[in-house]
């Protein structure tokens, strides 16, 4: 074994390094090169934005809130192609079906994120296209404050720490509508903090259904 | 003292006693602090499952949201308990197998202190809302160098022991420990460097995270668990390993396949499709080394299985071995699209992770602790009843978790797969099983309280002073070893 020792170490190192290079380093460098691509005229995309669109708002901070609250443990952001699951067929998950945009998620969809929140379990809905499904900020805030206000069976934790209860001086525009057992005392209202607004910005930016540059229109793809 | 009867010379016995004495401080330190973490981790497991079933309970307190409790639970289970208990087992096994005394006990304890403090800081950070939603890498970015350094000190001493060893040919357990000692810092550094210190592909960050999780399983938990099993089983059965060659082949097969796993957590994911495919293939091929290990260990035990009736170490180790094989089979099945479409993002994922970390690794490590601690403290476990209690509550608990999480996964994943149905069906169908998860964690917590109590008694030198070991189903001192209790004549035993 004394003589074999260097061979042993070499074996251990090779077992680690070979997959590291091929499975991690090379794909990492390749995927890191991706930049937003502009649409060409052939793509027949009405809006003038690139793919993926660069989002405005506080969604970078929102991503941090999303991560720190552990959202990714119960929500995925990954729509599987039909050979690997029925995700695309579930209404709204694959994107905007009415405009024929529903599709599985692709590598470039995450270009603007710092970390892709692909997820661990799907205790809640997939959020890859939640920004397409619902554009109403009030709906998000109400859900985050207490998801039972919208669905009694929901398992989602209440993120009351992201909201502030305050005395009403002049009724705030963004106060959450709370009825029945969720209502706060008379003369008080619940308003989102900056963190909550950032989180909603981030959630609204989850629209991974943009057409892919160079893929042509839906009809052309179907014809191929 | 010994659970096996073997013909050892007076010199051998003296040498072993000297090694055990030198290992006493660091090994007991790692075991006792790990057991404390384990108790906390199981309590957090209980609390997180309660919160999943009743999300409105105490919801004014943000620390108790599932998204913070669950990662705090997993991180304390993995780094606080799992890895730390593993350090203790690695140090003792390496010293015994290399036949060298431990010279730097105080340094090891110092490294252990750094490890404990870092983990404590990390768990509190995750718990209080400073985590980052990356499973098993949730800690704030600035903590990993401290963990890395303290691990480096521990691994460094293991490697030095190996260099100083007196025996020529290395035992298979030594190879596994050596491998685990080296592999972990590599995967840990690579994952942390990419995730925290480069601004590259967001998607690959998620991929690297999954790769790290599976690498931690196959490059660390599995080697350390197998090192322990390959030592404990021959020791107690009183026979050498059935086939050393087979063990060698399994070692290298595992090593070659381990690094390719990880992307199987995202079958059908947005990665280039060959990546999940190759990980899935590696997971399925992994059945070969797992099967080889099973054949080898079964061959070693064959005909002497009744020893499990008496020896706690053997009983825990064999239970862990069975869970390891089941884990291999289940994840291999789940690497098929037809099954992964249902189970990939379901409670089954959680069940599998708990299965390998608790069902396999922890149970094997319990076996090792029941073997090692009497040797380094010079007294015997106070109560066979409590050991039995620990075994049955833990095993019932873990079997409940695994079975219920798989059924929950099928119910929940099935409801999501039925794409025209209401999404809330999946939540409603999963809920009942979560109650079982909470009950199982409660059982395991109680079991581990008994374990922690006994371990602390032993550490304080309040164990039973007696000639014979503590055996299940035998009165103290009634039999000199498990072999004698089972009525076997001593065979020519494994060395060391």
């Amino acid at each position: 074994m004394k003589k074999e020792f260097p061979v042993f170490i070499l074996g251990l190192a090779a077992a680690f390094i070979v997959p590291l290079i091929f499975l991690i380093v090379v794909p990492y460098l390749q995927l890191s090169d991706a930049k937003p691509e502009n649409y060409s005229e052939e793509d027949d995309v009405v809006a003038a934005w690139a793919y993926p669109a660069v989002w405005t708002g506080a969604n970078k901070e929102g991503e941090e809130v999303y991560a720190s609250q552990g959202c990714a443990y119960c929500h995925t952001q990954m729509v599987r192609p039909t050979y690997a699951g029925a995700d695309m067929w579930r209404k709204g998950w694959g994107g905007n079906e009415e405009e024929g945009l529903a599709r599985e998620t692709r590598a470039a969809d995450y270009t603007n994120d710092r970390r892709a929140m692909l997820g661990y379990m799907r205790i809640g809905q997939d959020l890859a296209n939640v920004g397409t499904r619902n554009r109403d900020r009030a709906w998000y805030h109400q859900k985050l404050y207490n998801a039972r206000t919208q669905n009694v069976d929901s398992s989602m934790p209440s993120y009351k720490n992201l909201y502030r209860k305050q005395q009403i001086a002049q009724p705030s525009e963004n106060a959450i509508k709370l009825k029945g057992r969720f209502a706060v005392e008379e003369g008080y209202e619940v308003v989102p903090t900056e963190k909550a607004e950032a989180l909603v910005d981030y959630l609204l930016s989850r629209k991974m259904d943009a057409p892919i540059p160079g893929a042509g229109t839906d009809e052309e793809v179907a014809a191929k | 003292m010994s659970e096996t009867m073997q013909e050892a010379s007076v010199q051998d016995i003296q040498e072993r006693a000297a090694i055990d004495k030198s290992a006493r401080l660091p090994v007991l330190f790692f075991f006792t602090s790990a057991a404390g973490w384990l108790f906390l981790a199981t309590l957090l497991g209980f609390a997180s499952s309660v919160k999943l079933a009743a999300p409105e309970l105490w919801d004014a307190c943000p620390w108790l949201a599932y998204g913070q409790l669950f990662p705090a639970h997993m991180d304390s289970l993995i780094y606080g308990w799992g890895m730390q208990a593993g350090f203790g087992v690695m140090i003792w096994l390496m010293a015994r197998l290399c036949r060298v005394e431990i010279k730097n006990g105080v340094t090891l304890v110092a490294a252990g202190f750094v490890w404990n403090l870092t983990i404590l800081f990390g768990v509190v950070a995750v718990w209080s809302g400073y985590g980052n939603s990356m499973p098993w890498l949730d800690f704030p970015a600035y903590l990993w160098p401290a963990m890395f350094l303290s691990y480096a000190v521990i691994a460094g001493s293991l490697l030095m022991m190996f260099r100083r060893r007196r025996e020529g040919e290395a035992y298979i357990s030594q190879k596994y420990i050596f491998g685990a000692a080296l592999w972990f810092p590599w995967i840990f550094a690579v994952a942390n460097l990419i995730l925290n210190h480069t601004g590259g592909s967001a998607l690959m960050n998620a991929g690297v995270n999954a790769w790290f999780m599976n690498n931690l399983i196959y490059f660390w938990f599995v080697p350390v668990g197998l090192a322990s099993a390959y030592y404990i089983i021959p020791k107690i059965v009183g026979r050498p390993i059935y086939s050393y060659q087979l063990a060698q082949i399994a070692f290298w097969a595992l090593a070659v396949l381990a690094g390719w796993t990880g992307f199987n957590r995202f079958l059908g994911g947005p990665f280039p499709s060959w990546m999940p495919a190759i990980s899935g293939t590696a997971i399925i091929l992994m059945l070969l080394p797992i099967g080889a290990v099973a054949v080898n260990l079964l061959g070693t035990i064959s005909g002497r299985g009744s020893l499990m009736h008496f020896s706690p170490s053997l009983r825990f180790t064999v239970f862990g071995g069975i869970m390891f094989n089941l884990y291999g089979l289940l994840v291999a099945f789940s690497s098929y699209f037809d099954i992964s479409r249902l189970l990939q993002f379901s409670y089954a994922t959680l069940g599998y992770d708990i299965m390998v970390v608790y069902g396999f690794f922890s149970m094997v490590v319990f076996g090792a602790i029941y073997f090692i601690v009497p040797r380094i403290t010079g007294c015997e476990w106070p109560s066979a009843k409590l050991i039995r209690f620990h075994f049955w509550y833990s095993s019932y608990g873990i079997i409940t978790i695994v079975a219920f999480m798989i059924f929950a996964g099928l119910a929940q994943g099935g409801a999501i797969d039925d794409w025209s149905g209401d999404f809330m069906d999946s939540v409603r169908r999963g809920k009942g099983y979560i109650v079982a998860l909470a009950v199982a964690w409660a059982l395991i917590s109680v079991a581990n309280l008994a374990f922690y109590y006994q371990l602390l008694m032993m550490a304080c030198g309040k164990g039973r002073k007696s000639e014979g070991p503590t055996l299940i189903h035998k009165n103290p001192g009634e039999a000199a070893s498990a072999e004698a209790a089972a009525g076997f004549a001593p065979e020519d035993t494994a060395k060391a």
Side-chain angles (χ1 to χ4, degrees):
Chain A
M1 182 69 194
K2 284 270 169 196
K3 267 189 205 154
E4 294 163 20
F5 187 68
V7 183
F8 177 59
I9 299 276
L10 218 66
L12 297 184
F16 167 75
I17 290 169
V18 174
L20 174 71
I21 292 173
F22 289 102
L23 199 61
I24 301 294
V25 176
V26 172
Y28 186 79
L29 294 177
Q30 279 177 351
L31 288 167
S32 296
D33 261 353
K35 286 188 185 68
E37 259 180 90
N38 290 320
Y39 289 110
S40 62
E41 272 177 30
E42 281 163 36
D43 288 323
D44 191 24
V45 171
V46 187
W49 25 257
Y51 164 78
V54 177
W55 302 109
T56 51
N59 50 319
K60 283 270 181 270
E61 292 75 28
E63 189 185 312
E64 262 163 49
V65 180
Y66 187 90
S68 69
Q69 304 296 323
C71 305
Y73 278 97
C74 300
H75 291 283
T76 54
Q77 289 184 25
M78 170 177 144
V79 179
R80 295 176 291 185
T82 46
Y83 65 81
D87 305 356
M88 269 169 68
W89 294 331
R90 181 166 283 282
K91 196 169 175 335
W93 275 24
N96 193 337
E97 291 102 350
E98 278 119 54
E99 291 179 28
L101 291 176
R103 61 169 173 83
E104 73 269 22
T105 42
R106 309 196 160 211
D109 292 331
Y110 306 89
T111 308
N112 295 322
D113 297 351
R114 211 163 69 81
R115 275 189 199 123
M117 296 291 172
L118 293 190
Y120 181 73
M121 285 189 284
R122 234 175 219 169
I123 299 175
Q125 299 255 6
D126 185 272
L127 299 180
N129 285 298
V130 71
T132 329
R133 289 201 288 275
N134 203 321
R135 303 295 300 167
D136 178 14
R137 291 189 83 92
W139 178 83
Y140 285 94
H141 283 309
Q142 197 181 35
K143 193 168 206 79
L144 287 166
Y145 177 75
N146 188 338
R148 261 69 50 194
T149 53
Q150 294 169 355
N151 196 322
V152 277
D153 288 335
S154 172
S155 288
M156 187 165 140
S158 310
Y159 289 100
K160 292 186 177 162
N161 53 318
L162 300 179
Y163 293 85
R164 200 172 46 231
K165 199 167 86 173
Q166 62 184 30
Q167 247 175 333
I168 303 177
Q170 203 175 6
S172 307
E173 238 173 64
N174 54 1
I176 303 172
K177 288 182 190 71
L178 296 167
K179 276 182 245 155
R181 72 182 174 99
F182 305 105
V184 287
E185 304 94 299
E186 197 71 30
Y188 283 85
E189 62 180 3
V190 175
V191 291
T193 61
E194 251 172 54
K195 276 188 170 183
E197 297 287 8
L199 180 56
V200 173
D201 279 345
Y202 172 75
L203 290 171
L204 285 170
S205 77
R206 304 294 91 192
K207 287 162 66 172
M208 302 192 182
D209 63 347
I212 298 143
T217 58
D218 252 29
E219 292 77 38
E220 282 165 25
V221 174
K224 275 177 205 163
Chain B
M1 273 313 290
S2 152
E3 278 183 40
T4 58
M5 301 221 294
Q6 36 188 287
E7 290 162 55
S9 69
V10 179
Q11 207 185 357
D12 277 348
I13 293 173
Q14 278 172 347
E15 188 187 69
R16 279 182 207 152
I19 294 170
D20 287 344
K21 203 172 155 223
S22 75
R24 187 189 150 108
L25 175 74
V27 172
L28 268 186
F29 171 82
F30 283 120
F31 283 167
T32 44
S33 45
W37 276 107
L38 175 64
F39 185 57
L40 175 76
T42 50
L43 281 185
L44 285 171
F46 172 70
S48 69
S49 4
V50 167
K51 278 292 287 186
L52 198 54
E56 266 189 300
L57 203 62
W58 317 300
D59 70 351
C61 178
W63 283 46
L64 290 171
Y66 181 76
Q68 273 130 279
L69 273 180
F70 179 71
H73 152 62
M74 277 316 265
D75 292 336
S76 45
L77 186 66
I78 284 167
Y79 297 109
W81 152 250
M83 289 200 65
Q84 199 161 204
F87 295 159
V89 174
M90 286 163 107
I91 291 168
W92 187 83
L93 276 185
M94 203 58 152
R96 269 293 194 99
L97 292 170
C98 297
R99 295 178 159 223
V100 292
E101 288 177 31
I102 293 160
K103 298 238 171 73
N104 57 345
V106 179
T107 320
L108 285 170
V109 171
F113 261 106
V114 175
W115 182 270
N116 272 296
L117 277 179
T118 321
I119 305 300
L120 181 66
F121 201 89
V123 167
V124 171
V126 170
W127 202 352
S128 56
Y130 292 91
N132 55 25
S133 269
M134 290 192 295
W136 306 9
L137 285 169
D138 304 89
F139 294 159
Y142 49 81
L143 286 181
W144 79 268
M147 284 168 74
F148 184 86
L149 284 181
S150 91
Y151 186 91
V153 171
I154 296 163
S157 355
L158 290 170
L159 304 187
M160 288 313 293
M161 274 191 244
F162 191 71
R163 290 299 283 172
R164 284 195 288 143
R165 77 191 184 281
R166 283 213 267 110
E167 308 276 323
E169 183 70 15
Y171 295 100
I172 193 69
S173 297
Q174 278 170 304
K175 290 192 172 177
Y176 272 118
I177 294 174
F178 195 92
L182 272 188
W183 281 321
F184 175 76
W186 296 345
I187 53 170
F188 190 65
V190 166
N192 275 291
L193 282 172
I194 292 183
L195 289 172
N196 297 320
H197 306 283
T198 59
S201 161
L203 178 63
M204 272 307 282
N205 281 340
V208 169
N209 189 183
W211 172 83
F212 173 80
M213 290 167 82
N214 272 44
N215 275 215
L216 187 60
I217 292 174
Y218 288 114
F219 270 148
W220 205 88
F221 282 123
V222 170
V224 176
L226 290 185
S228 172
Y230 270 127
Y231 181 86
I232 298 285
I233 291 179
K235 265 285 186 186
I236 291 176
V237 173
R239 277 182 190 156
I241 291 172
Y242 178 66
S243 160
Y244 184 72
Q245 240 180 343
L246 194 60
Q248 285 269 57
I249 294 169
F251 175 84
W252 285 112
L254 181 95
V256 166
L257 291 171
W260 296 98
T261 59
F263 288 85
N264 53 306
R265 286 175 188 264
F266 298 124
L267 288 178
F271 300 95
S273 57
W274 62 269
M275 294 169 72
I278 209 163
S279 285
T281 313
I283 289 280
I284 293 168
L285 286 177
M286 198 65 98
L287 284 173
L288 294 173
I290 292 176
V293 169
V295 168
N296 218 347
L297 294 180
L298 282 178
T300 312
I301 298 176
S302 164
R304 300 195 141 204
S306 54
L307 285 169
M308 264 186 284
H309 197 53
F310 303 104
S311 164
S313 303
L314 188 64
R315 191 185 273 201
F316 274 98
T317 307
V318 169
F319 182 91
I322 294 170
M323 289 306 259
F324 178 51
N325 280 273
L326 280 178
Y327 172 77
L329 273 175
L330 286 170
V331 290
F333 275 124
S334 300
S335 298
Y336 286 99
F337 283 126
D338 286 340
I339 298 176
S340 78
R341 66 185 296 142
L342 300 178
L343 294 185
Q344 178 156 256
F345 292 126
S346 72
Y347 289 118
T349 309
L350 168 65
Y352 294 161
D353 285 343
I354 297 291
M355 189 177 188
V356 70
V357 175
Y358 199 94
F360 159 61
F361 179 80
S362 305
M363 293 299 267
V364 168
V365 164
F366 288 140
I369 290 178
Y370 280 123
F371 188 85
I372 294 169
V373 175
R375 282 163 178 76
I376 55 177
T377 55
C379 47
E380 297 296 338
W381 292 97
S383 158
K385 227 182 210 166
L386 282 181
I387 299 181
R388 223 161 71 200
F389 175 83
H390 182 209
F391 178 77
W392 286 113
Y393 273 55
S394 296
S395 50
Y396 270 121
I398 189 67
I399 289 170
T400 309
I401 291 181
V402 171
F404 274 73
M405 286 305 97
I406 290 169
F407 287 119
L410 287 171
Q412 175 207 20
I416 297 178
D417 201 52
D418 176 15
W419 53 274
S420 58
D422 180 8
F423 178 83
M424 283 310 289
D425 283 350
S426 77
V427 179
R428 288 184 205 110
R429 283 180 203 173
K431 250 184 189 168
Y433 298 95
I434 296 306
V435 178
L437 181 65
V439 172
W441 277 123
L443 286 182
I444 292 177
S445 295
V446 176
N448 286 323
L449 195 61
F451 169 66
Y452 195 27
Y453 165 74
Q454 288 230 78
L455 187 62
L456 287 181
M457 292 285 278
M458 292 290 277
C460 301
K462 297 231 168 80
R464 201 162 51 73
K465 301 278 190 291
S466 132
E467 277 304 299
T470 302
L471 298 170
I472 304 169
H473 301 299
K474 280 280 170 193
N475 292 325
E478 199 179 320
S481 71
E483 269 183 309
F488 290 120
E491 267 182 51
D492 194 23
T493 54
K495 282 178 287 179

